[in-house]
Protein backbone atom coordinates (compact mmCIF):
# COMPACT_ATOMS: atom_id res chain seq x y z
CA UNK A 1 0.00 0.00 0.00
CA UNK A 2 1.44 3.39 -0.98
CA UNK A 3 1.66 5.64 2.04
CA UNK A 4 2.16 9.29 2.50
CA UNK A 5 4.08 11.34 4.96
CA UNK A 6 2.82 9.83 8.07
CA UNK A 7 5.37 10.82 10.61
CA UNK A 8 4.77 7.49 12.29
CA UNK A 9 4.46 5.18 9.32
CA UNK A 10 7.50 3.04 9.86
CA UNK A 11 7.50 -0.36 11.57
CA UNK A 12 4.51 0.45 13.72
CA UNK A 13 2.21 -0.31 10.77
CA UNK A 14 2.01 -3.98 10.11
CA UNK A 15 -0.89 -3.73 7.70
CA UNK A 16 1.14 -5.78 5.19
CA UNK A 17 0.96 -8.70 7.56
CA UNK A 18 2.58 -11.39 5.50
CA UNK A 19 4.56 -14.27 7.03
CA UNK A 20 8.10 -12.88 7.11
CA UNK A 21 11.05 -14.90 8.27
CA UNK A 22 12.82 -12.83 10.91
CA UNK A 23 16.62 -13.13 11.23
CA UNK A 24 17.39 -15.70 13.94
CA UNK A 25 20.77 -14.20 14.70
CA UNK A 26 19.39 -10.87 15.90
CA UNK A 27 15.79 -11.21 16.95
CA UNK A 28 14.25 -12.60 20.09
CA UNK A 29 17.46 -14.29 21.24
CA UNK A 30 16.57 -13.45 24.85
CA UNK A 31 13.52 -15.71 24.49
CA UNK A 32 14.91 -18.53 22.38
CA UNK A 33 17.92 -19.01 24.63
CA UNK A 34 15.65 -20.17 27.44
CA UNK A 35 13.69 -22.66 25.40
CA UNK A 36 13.78 -22.87 21.63
CA UNK A 37 10.62 -24.99 21.63
CA UNK A 38 8.48 -22.60 23.66
CA UNK A 39 5.52 -20.85 22.05
CA UNK A 40 6.31 -17.17 21.52
CA UNK A 41 3.62 -14.55 22.18
CA UNK A 42 3.07 -11.02 20.96
CA UNK A 43 4.27 -9.81 24.35
CA UNK A 44 7.58 -11.61 23.79
CA UNK A 45 8.05 -9.91 20.44
CA UNK A 46 7.05 -6.55 21.90
CA UNK A 47 9.37 -6.89 24.91
CA UNK A 48 12.29 -7.40 22.56
CA UNK A 49 11.49 -4.32 20.50
CA UNK A 50 11.04 -2.16 23.61
CA UNK A 51 14.61 -3.00 24.54
CA UNK A 52 15.78 -2.64 20.96
CA UNK A 53 14.35 0.89 20.66
CA UNK A 54 15.71 2.21 23.97
CA UNK A 55 18.10 4.66 22.33
CA UNK A 56 15.36 5.99 20.05
CA UNK A 57 12.99 6.43 23.00
CA UNK A 58 15.58 8.41 24.97
CA UNK A 59 16.43 10.57 21.95
CA UNK A 60 12.75 11.29 21.22
CA UNK A 61 12.14 12.17 24.88
CA UNK A 62 15.00 14.68 24.71
CA UNK A 63 13.49 16.25 21.58
CA UNK A 64 10.13 16.46 23.35
CA UNK A 65 11.68 18.25 26.33
CA UNK A 66 13.65 20.72 24.19
CA UNK A 67 10.69 21.39 21.90
CA UNK A 68 8.21 22.09 24.70
CA UNK A 69 10.59 24.29 26.68
CA UNK A 70 11.97 26.24 23.72
CA UNK A 71 8.66 26.94 22.02
CA UNK A 72 7.01 27.83 25.34
CA UNK A 73 9.73 30.44 25.94
CA UNK A 74 9.23 31.82 22.43
CA UNK A 75 5.47 31.97 22.88
CA UNK A 76 5.76 33.81 26.20
CA UNK A 77 8.28 36.42 25.08
CA UNK A 78 6.81 37.12 21.64
CA UNK A 79 3.24 37.26 22.94
CA UNK A 80 3.74 39.16 26.21
CA UNK A 81 7.22 40.71 26.48
CA UNK A 82 8.01 42.02 23.00
CA UNK A 83 6.32 44.58 20.72
CA UNK A 84 3.92 43.01 18.21
CA UNK A 85 5.51 44.27 15.00
CA UNK A 86 4.54 43.12 11.52
CA UNK A 87 7.70 41.04 11.26
CA UNK A 88 6.89 39.18 14.49
CA UNK A 89 3.16 38.78 13.95
CA UNK A 90 3.12 35.10 12.92
CA UNK A 91 5.83 33.86 15.30
CA UNK A 92 3.57 33.22 18.36
CA UNK A 93 1.12 31.26 16.19
CA UNK A 94 3.95 29.23 14.67
CA UNK A 95 5.24 28.53 18.20
CA UNK A 96 1.82 27.16 19.22
CA UNK A 97 1.74 24.90 16.15
CA UNK A 98 5.29 23.70 16.90
CA UNK A 99 4.41 22.95 20.54
CA UNK A 100 1.45 20.82 19.47
CA UNK A 101 3.32 19.08 16.63
CA UNK A 102 6.31 18.33 18.84
CA UNK A 103 4.08 17.04 21.66
CA UNK A 104 1.86 14.78 19.55
CA UNK A 105 4.66 13.54 17.28
CA UNK A 106 7.01 12.71 20.14
CA UNK A 107 4.34 11.12 22.33
CA UNK A 108 3.12 9.02 19.41
CA UNK A 109 6.69 7.84 18.72
CA UNK A 110 7.28 6.91 22.35
CA UNK A 111 3.93 5.10 22.68
CA UNK A 112 4.66 3.11 19.51
CA UNK A 113 8.11 2.20 20.84
CA UNK A 114 6.51 0.65 23.92
CA UNK A 115 3.44 -0.99 22.35
CA UNK A 116 4.54 -1.69 18.80
CA UNK A 117 3.05 -5.20 18.56
CA UNK A 118 0.39 -5.08 21.28
CA UNK A 119 -1.41 -1.82 20.39
CA UNK A 120 -5.03 -2.58 21.37
CA UNK A 121 -6.46 0.95 21.72
CA UNK A 122 -8.14 1.74 18.40
CA UNK A 123 -9.51 5.17 19.32
CA UNK A 124 -6.13 6.23 20.71
CA UNK A 125 -4.50 5.08 17.47
CA UNK A 126 -6.90 7.18 15.40
CA UNK A 127 -6.45 10.27 17.60
CA UNK A 128 -2.65 10.08 17.65
CA UNK A 129 -2.49 9.79 13.87
CA UNK A 130 -4.98 12.61 13.38
CA UNK A 131 -3.37 15.12 15.74
CA UNK A 132 0.20 14.29 14.65
CA UNK A 133 -0.60 14.82 10.98
CA UNK A 134 -2.85 17.82 11.61
CA UNK A 135 -0.37 19.79 13.74
CA UNK A 136 2.59 18.97 11.48
CA UNK A 137 0.59 20.06 8.44
CA UNK A 138 -0.51 23.22 10.26
CA UNK A 139 3.09 24.19 11.01
CA UNK A 140 4.15 23.57 7.39
CA UNK A 141 1.22 25.59 6.02
CA UNK A 142 2.04 28.49 8.35
CA UNK A 143 5.58 28.56 6.95
CA UNK A 144 4.02 28.97 3.51
CA UNK A 145 1.87 31.87 4.78
CA UNK A 146 4.97 33.50 6.29
CA UNK A 147 6.81 33.04 2.99
CA UNK A 148 3.96 34.76 1.12
CA UNK A 149 3.99 37.61 3.64
CA UNK A 150 7.76 38.07 3.31
CA UNK A 151 7.53 37.98 -0.48
CA UNK A 152 4.92 40.77 -0.51
CA UNK A 153 6.97 42.93 1.87
CA UNK A 154 10.34 42.52 0.17
CA UNK A 155 9.47 42.06 -3.51
CA UNK A 156 6.12 43.91 -3.72
CA UNK A 157 6.41 46.66 -1.09
CA UNK A 158 4.05 48.99 -2.97
CA UNK A 159 1.48 46.29 -3.77
CA UNK A 160 -1.25 44.61 -1.76
CA UNK A 161 0.04 43.48 1.64
CA UNK A 162 -1.10 40.80 4.08
CA UNK A 163 -2.25 42.95 6.98
CA UNK A 164 -5.12 43.25 9.42
CA UNK A 165 -8.05 40.98 8.59
CA UNK A 166 -6.12 39.35 5.76
CA UNK A 167 -3.60 37.91 8.20
CA UNK A 168 -6.36 36.63 10.48
CA UNK A 169 -8.14 35.18 7.46
CA UNK A 170 -4.97 33.42 6.30
CA UNK A 171 -4.53 31.83 9.73
CA UNK A 172 -8.15 30.65 9.81
CA UNK A 173 -7.90 29.16 6.30
CA UNK A 174 -4.71 27.30 7.21
CA UNK A 175 -6.27 25.98 10.43
CA UNK A 176 -9.48 24.79 8.76
CA UNK A 177 -7.70 23.16 5.81
CA UNK A 178 -5.29 21.33 8.12
CA UNK A 179 -8.24 19.78 9.94
CA UNK A 180 -10.25 18.95 6.82
CA UNK A 181 -7.34 17.27 5.00
CA UNK A 182 -6.58 15.14 8.06
CA UNK A 183 -10.13 13.99 8.93
CA UNK A 184 -9.99 10.90 6.61
CA UNK A 185 -7.33 9.43 8.90
CA UNK A 186 -10.02 8.85 11.51
CA UNK A 187 -11.57 6.43 9.01
CA UNK A 188 -8.50 4.79 7.47
CA UNK A 189 -6.31 4.33 10.56
CA UNK A 190 -6.97 2.07 13.52
CA UNK A 191 -6.29 -1.27 15.15
CA UNK A 192 -4.82 -3.91 12.82
CA UNK A 193 -4.83 -7.61 13.72
CA UNK A 194 -2.47 -9.99 11.97
CA UNK A 195 0.34 -12.43 12.56
CA UNK A 196 4.02 -12.96 12.01
CA UNK A 197 5.89 -16.22 11.54
CA UNK A 198 9.10 -17.04 13.37
CA UNK A 199 10.76 -20.46 13.11
CA UNK A 200 7.59 -21.75 11.49
CA UNK A 201 5.51 -20.61 14.44
CA UNK A 202 2.62 -18.22 13.98
CA UNK A 203 2.34 -15.34 16.46
CA UNK A 204 -0.75 -13.11 16.52
CA UNK A 205 -0.02 -9.38 16.90
CA UNK A 206 -2.08 -6.19 17.12
CA UNK A 207 -0.74 -2.92 15.73
CA UNK A 208 -1.77 0.66 15.03
CA UNK A 209 -1.86 1.44 11.33
CA UNK A 210 -3.80 1.46 8.09
CA UNK A 211 -6.81 -0.84 8.17
CA UNK A 212 -6.57 -2.68 4.85
CA UNK A 213 -10.24 -3.66 4.81
CA UNK A 214 -11.24 0.02 4.52
CA UNK A 215 -11.45 0.61 0.75
CA UNK A 216 -7.88 0.08 -0.39
CA UNK A 217 -8.29 2.20 -3.56
CA UNK A 218 -9.61 5.21 -1.66
CA UNK A 219 -6.77 4.95 0.87
CA UNK A 220 -4.14 4.94 -1.90
CA UNK A 221 -5.74 7.98 -3.51
CA UNK A 222 -5.93 9.87 -0.21
CA UNK A 223 -2.30 9.23 0.74
CA UNK A 224 -1.15 10.12 -2.76
CA UNK A 225 -3.00 13.46 -2.58
CA UNK A 226 -1.58 14.16 0.88
CA UNK A 227 1.94 13.36 -0.28
CA UNK A 228 1.53 15.56 -3.35
CA UNK A 229 0.08 18.41 -1.27
CA UNK A 230 3.02 18.25 1.14
CA UNK A 231 5.49 18.44 -1.74
CA UNK A 232 3.63 21.39 -3.28
CA UNK A 233 3.71 23.29 0.02
CA UNK A 234 7.42 22.60 0.43
CA UNK A 235 8.29 23.59 -3.17
CA UNK A 236 6.18 26.77 -3.05
CA UNK A 237 7.69 27.82 0.28
CA UNK A 238 11.23 27.41 -1.04
CA UNK A 239 10.38 29.02 -4.41
CA UNK A 240 9.03 32.17 -2.74
CA UNK A 241 12.31 32.75 -0.93
CA UNK A 242 14.34 32.67 -4.16
CA UNK A 243 13.18 36.12 -5.41
CA UNK A 244 13.34 37.36 -1.82
CA UNK A 245 17.01 36.39 -1.62
CA UNK A 246 17.75 38.00 -4.99
CA UNK A 247 16.02 41.23 -3.94
CA UNK A 248 17.91 41.39 -0.64
CA UNK A 249 21.21 40.77 -2.43
CA UNK A 250 20.54 43.64 -4.84
CA UNK A 251 19.65 46.01 -1.99
CA UNK A 252 22.75 45.17 0.02
CA UNK A 253 24.80 45.69 -3.11
CA UNK A 254 23.27 49.14 -3.64
CA UNK A 255 23.91 50.00 0.03
CA UNK A 256 27.59 49.10 -0.34
CA UNK A 257 27.84 51.24 -3.48
CA UNK A 258 26.22 54.22 -1.74
CA UNK A 259 28.68 53.88 1.17
CA UNK A 260 31.58 54.04 -1.27
CA UNK A 261 30.16 57.22 -2.81
CA UNK A 262 29.76 58.83 0.62
CA UNK A 263 33.35 57.95 1.48
CA UNK A 264 34.59 59.61 -1.69
CA UNK A 265 32.48 62.70 -1.00
CA UNK A 266 33.79 62.80 2.55
CA UNK A 267 37.38 62.85 1.31
CA UNK A 268 36.61 65.73 -1.09
CA UNK A 269 34.88 67.73 1.67
CA UNK A 270 37.79 67.28 4.07
CA UNK A 271 40.26 68.47 1.45
CA UNK A 272 38.16 71.58 0.78
CA UNK A 273 37.82 72.31 4.51
CA UNK A 274 41.62 72.14 4.97
CA UNK A 275 42.08 74.75 2.28
CA UNK A 276 39.40 76.89 3.89
CA UNK A 277 41.13 76.95 7.27
CA UNK A 278 43.79 79.32 5.89
CA UNK A 279 41.22 82.07 5.63
CA UNK A 280 39.37 82.24 8.97
CA UNK A 281 37.34 85.31 8.11
CA UNK A 282 36.02 83.69 4.94
CA UNK A 283 35.14 80.56 6.91
CA UNK A 284 33.28 82.55 9.55
CA UNK A 285 31.23 84.37 6.96
CA UNK A 286 30.43 81.09 5.16
CA UNK A 287 29.30 79.36 8.35
CA UNK A 288 27.11 82.23 9.45
CA UNK A 289 25.34 82.52 6.09
CA UNK A 290 21.67 81.37 5.94
CA UNK A 291 22.33 79.24 2.86
CA UNK A 292 25.00 77.25 4.69
CA UNK A 293 22.79 76.61 7.74
CA UNK A 294 19.90 75.49 5.55
CA UNK A 295 22.15 73.15 3.54
CA UNK A 296 23.69 71.73 6.72
CA UNK A 297 20.25 71.03 8.22
CA UNK A 298 19.15 69.26 5.05
CA UNK A 299 22.28 67.13 5.12
CA UNK A 300 21.71 66.24 8.78
CA UNK A 301 18.03 65.38 8.20
CA UNK A 302 18.92 63.26 5.20
CA UNK A 303 21.62 61.46 7.17
CA UNK A 304 19.24 60.69 10.07
CA UNK A 305 16.57 59.50 7.67
CA UNK A 306 19.06 57.30 5.83
CA UNK A 307 20.26 55.76 9.11
CA UNK A 308 16.68 54.98 10.16
CA UNK A 309 15.84 53.46 6.79
CA UNK A 310 19.07 51.49 6.81
CA UNK A 311 18.28 50.13 10.29
CA UNK A 312 14.76 49.17 9.20
CA UNK A 313 16.17 47.36 6.17
CA UNK A 314 18.72 45.51 8.31
CA UNK A 315 16.02 44.39 10.76
CA UNK A 316 13.72 43.31 7.93
CA UNK A 317 16.53 41.47 6.15
CA UNK A 318 17.50 39.83 9.46
CA UNK A 319 13.95 38.52 9.91
CA UNK A 320 13.95 37.28 6.31
CA UNK A 321 17.22 35.42 6.93
CA UNK A 322 15.68 33.94 10.06
CA UNK A 323 12.65 32.59 8.20
CA UNK A 324 14.88 31.29 5.38
CA UNK A 325 16.84 29.30 7.98
CA UNK A 326 13.60 27.93 9.44
CA UNK A 327 12.46 26.82 5.97
CA UNK A 328 15.86 25.20 5.38
CA UNK A 329 15.48 23.11 8.54
CA UNK A 330 11.92 22.30 7.49
CA UNK A 331 13.06 20.90 4.14
CA UNK A 332 16.05 19.02 5.56
CA UNK A 333 13.97 17.40 8.30
CA UNK A 334 11.07 16.32 6.10
CA UNK A 335 13.08 14.94 3.15
CA UNK A 336 14.29 11.86 5.13
CA UNK A 337 10.68 11.27 6.24
CA UNK A 338 9.45 11.31 2.64
CA UNK A 339 12.31 9.09 1.42
CA UNK A 340 11.77 6.50 4.14
CA UNK A 341 8.07 6.37 3.33
CA UNK A 342 8.62 5.72 -0.37
CA UNK A 343 11.47 3.17 -0.17
CA UNK A 344 9.79 0.56 2.07
CA UNK A 345 6.23 1.27 0.87
CA UNK A 346 5.83 -2.03 -1.01
CA UNK A 347 6.85 -4.19 1.95
CA UNK A 348 7.28 -2.08 5.10
CA UNK A 349 7.11 -5.02 7.48
CA UNK A 350 9.80 -6.98 5.65
CA UNK A 351 11.95 -3.85 5.32
CA UNK A 352 11.90 -2.61 8.91
CA UNK A 353 11.90 -5.89 10.80
CA UNK A 354 14.86 -7.34 8.91
CA UNK A 355 17.24 -4.62 10.16
CA UNK A 356 19.82 -5.01 12.90
CA UNK A 357 19.58 -2.89 16.06
CA UNK A 358 21.87 -0.04 14.97
CA UNK A 359 20.39 0.29 11.48
CA UNK A 360 16.84 0.22 12.81
CA UNK A 361 17.51 2.99 15.35
CA UNK A 362 19.28 5.21 12.82
CA UNK A 363 16.58 4.82 10.15
CA UNK A 364 13.74 5.32 12.61
CA UNK A 365 15.40 8.52 13.85
CA UNK A 366 15.69 9.73 10.26
CA UNK A 367 12.08 8.72 9.64
CA UNK A 368 10.98 10.81 12.61
CA UNK A 369 13.29 13.71 11.78
CA UNK A 370 10.19 15.85 11.19
CA UNK A 371 10.11 16.37 14.97
CA UNK A 372 13.45 18.21 14.75
CA UNK A 373 11.77 20.82 12.55
CA UNK A 374 9.53 21.79 15.48
CA UNK A 375 12.40 21.85 17.99
CA UNK A 376 15.02 24.04 16.26
CA UNK A 377 12.88 27.13 15.63
CA UNK A 378 13.38 28.70 19.11
CA UNK A 379 17.16 28.47 18.66
CA UNK A 380 16.86 30.12 15.24
CA UNK A 381 14.85 32.98 16.79
CA UNK A 382 17.49 33.41 19.49
CA UNK A 383 20.26 33.67 16.90
CA UNK A 384 18.65 36.09 14.44
CA UNK A 385 16.27 38.21 16.54
CA UNK A 386 18.64 40.38 18.57
CA UNK A 387 15.80 42.04 20.50
CA UNK A 388 14.46 38.66 21.62
CA UNK A 389 17.96 37.59 22.64
CA UNK A 390 18.51 40.79 24.64
CA UNK A 391 15.21 40.52 26.54
CA UNK A 392 15.77 36.82 27.21
CA UNK A 393 19.28 37.45 28.57
CA UNK A 394 18.03 40.30 30.78
CA UNK A 395 15.33 38.00 32.19
CA UNK A 396 17.95 35.38 33.01
CA UNK A 397 20.15 37.98 34.71
CA UNK A 398 17.20 39.09 36.86
CA UNK A 399 16.52 35.49 37.87
CA UNK A 400 20.20 34.96 38.79
CA UNK A 401 20.51 38.23 40.73
CA UNK A 402 21.45 37.42 44.35
CA UNK A 403 19.17 38.45 47.16
CA UNK A 404 19.94 41.76 48.89
CA UNK A 405 19.82 39.96 52.21
Amino acid sequence: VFRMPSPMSEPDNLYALQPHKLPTNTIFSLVTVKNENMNLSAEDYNAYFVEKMTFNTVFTSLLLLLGLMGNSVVLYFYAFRMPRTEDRYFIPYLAVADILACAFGSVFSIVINFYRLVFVWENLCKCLYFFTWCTSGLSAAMLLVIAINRYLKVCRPNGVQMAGKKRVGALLIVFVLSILTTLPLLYFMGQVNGYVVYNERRVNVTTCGLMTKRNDGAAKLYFFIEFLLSLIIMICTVALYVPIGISIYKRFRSIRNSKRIRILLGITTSEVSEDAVSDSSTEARRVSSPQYKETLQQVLDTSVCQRKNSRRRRVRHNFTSMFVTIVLFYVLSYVPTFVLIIIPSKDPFGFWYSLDDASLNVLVILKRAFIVNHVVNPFVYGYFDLHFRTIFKSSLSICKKPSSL
Side-chain angles (χ1 to χ4, degrees):
V1 176
F2 176 75
R3 306 189 48 221
M4 180 304 258
S6 165
M8 318 310 321
S9 53
E10 71 274 5
D12 33 305
N13 289 325
L14 309 185
Y15 53 84
L17 289 172
Q18 304 296 328
H20 289 279
K21 193 81 169 181
L22 300 176
T24 56
N25 60 333
T26 59
I27 202 160
F28 307 122
S29 57
L30 69 159
V31 177
T32 56
V33 164
K34 294 180 180 179
N35 185 359
E36 293 186 359
N37 297 320
M38 69 180 293
N39 292 325
L40 299 179
S41 65
E43 287 75 15
D44 297 326
Y45 277 83
N46 191 73
Y48 171 77
F49 279 103
V50 170
E51 181 180 352
K52 193 174 185 177
M53 298 299 294
T54 299
F55 175 79
N56 183 270
T57 302
V58 173
F59 180 75
T60 305
S61 301
L62 179 62
L63 290 181
L64 174 62
L65 181 63
L66 290 175
L68 293 181
M69 291 180 60
N71 285 293
S72 297
V73 169
V74 168
L75 178 61
Y76 170 71
F77 278 91
Y78 277 90
F80 304 106
R81 296 289 303 277
M82 299 175 66
R84 296 293 297 273
T85 62
E86 292 184 2
D87 293 314
R88 298 187 178 98
Y89 179 82
F90 290 104
I91 292 180
Y93 301 101
L94 182 60
V96 172
D98 285 334
I99 288 174
L100 295 176
C102 183
F104 284 111
S106 301
V107 170
F108 195 4
S109 300
I110 295 171
V111 170
I112 289 297
N113 285 352
F114 279 100
Y115 301 99
R116 183 177 302 273
L117 301 174
V118 289
F119 204 105
V120 295
W121 308 281
E122 182 167 350
N123 291 332
L124 177 62
C125 175
K126 291 178 179 290
C127 290
L128 288 175
Y129 262 108
F130 172 79
F131 286 110
T132 300
W133 281 40
C134 182
T135 52
S136 297
L138 177 62
S139 177
M142 289 190 65
L143 288 178
L144 177 59
V145 172
I146 293 173
I148 295 173
N149 184 54
R150 304 308 302 176
Y151 175 80
L152 294 177
K153 283 184 175 297
V154 176
C155 300
R156 299 287 186 270
N158 298 323
V160 178
Q161 299 294 313
M162 189 183 295
K165 294 182 179 180
K166 293 180 180 178
R167 290 186 297 198
V168 177
L171 291 175
L172 290 176
I173 291 173
V174 164
F175 180 73
V176 172
L177 288 180
S178 298
I179 294 177
L180 292 179
T181 56
T182 317
L183 281 176
L185 289 175
L186 297 176
Y187 176 77
F188 291 121
M189 313 310 290
Q191 181 178 320
V192 181
N193 296 312
Y195 68 91
V196 293
V197 174
Y198 175 73
N199 282 347
E200 299 181 355
R201 298 189 183 99
R202 174 169 168 166
V203 180
N204 295 321
V205 297
T206 303
T207 64
C208 171
L210 177 64
M211 296 185 290
T212 54
K213 296 180 180 179
R214 294 288 179 89
N215 199 334
D216 187 56
K220 288 181 179 180
L221 178 61
Y222 168 71
F223 288 120
F224 176 77
I225 293 174
E226 281 287 287
F227 182 79
L228 185 62
L229 183 61
S230 298
L231 285 181
I232 291 174
I233 290 176
M234 182 180 294
I235 292 172
C236 290
T237 303
V238 174
L240 284 171
Y241 278 103
V242 172
I244 292 174
I246 295 174
S247 178
I248 290 176
Y249 172 77
K250 290 180 178 179
R251 292 184 186 181
F252 276 123
R253 190 175 178 182
S254 65
I255 290 173
R256 285 196 298 268
N257 292 336
S258 64
K259 285 182 178 179
R260 292 172 184 171
I261 294 173
R262 285 198 298 271
I263 291 173
L264 292 174
L265 291 176
I267 293 173
T268 304
T269 304
S270 62
E271 291 174 351
V272 172
S273 61
E274 288 176 0
D275 294 336
V277 170
S278 59
D279 192 352
S280 59
S281 60
T282 304
E283 176 71 13
R285 287 194 300 271
R286 186 173 68 85
V287 170
S288 60
S289 66
Q291 292 84 0
Y292 177 82
K293 292 181 179 180
E294 183 179 354
T295 303
L296 179 62
Q297 186 62 40
Q298 290 177 354
V299 171
L300 291 175
D301 292 342
T302 302
S303 178
V304 171
C305 183
Q306 287 179 344
R307 284 198 298 270
K308 288 182 178 179
N309 290 335
S310 178
R311 184 178 180 277
R312 291 194 191 101
R313 283 195 295 268
R314 285 198 303 271
V315 171
R316 181 159 294 176
H317 296 162
N318 212 32
F319 272 97
T320 301
S321 301
M322 179 178 74
F323 288 122
V324 168
T325 305
I326 291 173
V327 170
L328 180 62
F329 276 110
Y330 161 61
V331 173
L332 293 178
S333 62
Y334 269 87
V335 165
T337 301
F338 289 153
V339 171
L340 288 172
I341 288 169
I342 296 172
I343 291 177
S345 59
K346 292 183 179 180
D347 187 12
F349 189 57
F351 175 85
W352 290 104
Y353 285 86
S354 62
L355 298 171
D356 58 83
D357 292 13
S359 299
L360 179 62
N361 274 278
V362 170
L363 291 180
V364 169
I365 288 175
L366 291 175
K367 182 65 180 297
R368 297 170 177 175
F370 77 99
I371 300 175
V372 177
N373 172 60
H374 309 293
V375 175
V376 298
N377 288 350
F379 301 97
V380 176
Y381 300 144
Y383 179 80
F384 284 99
D385 193 341
L386 300 181
H387 189 49
F388 167 66
R389 193 194 310 175
T390 302
I391 294 180
F392 181 69
K393 286 183 178 179
S394 64
S395 299
L396 290 179
S397 63
I398 291 175
C399 294
K400 292 181 180 180
K401 185 178 295 185
S403 174
S404 57
L405 298 175

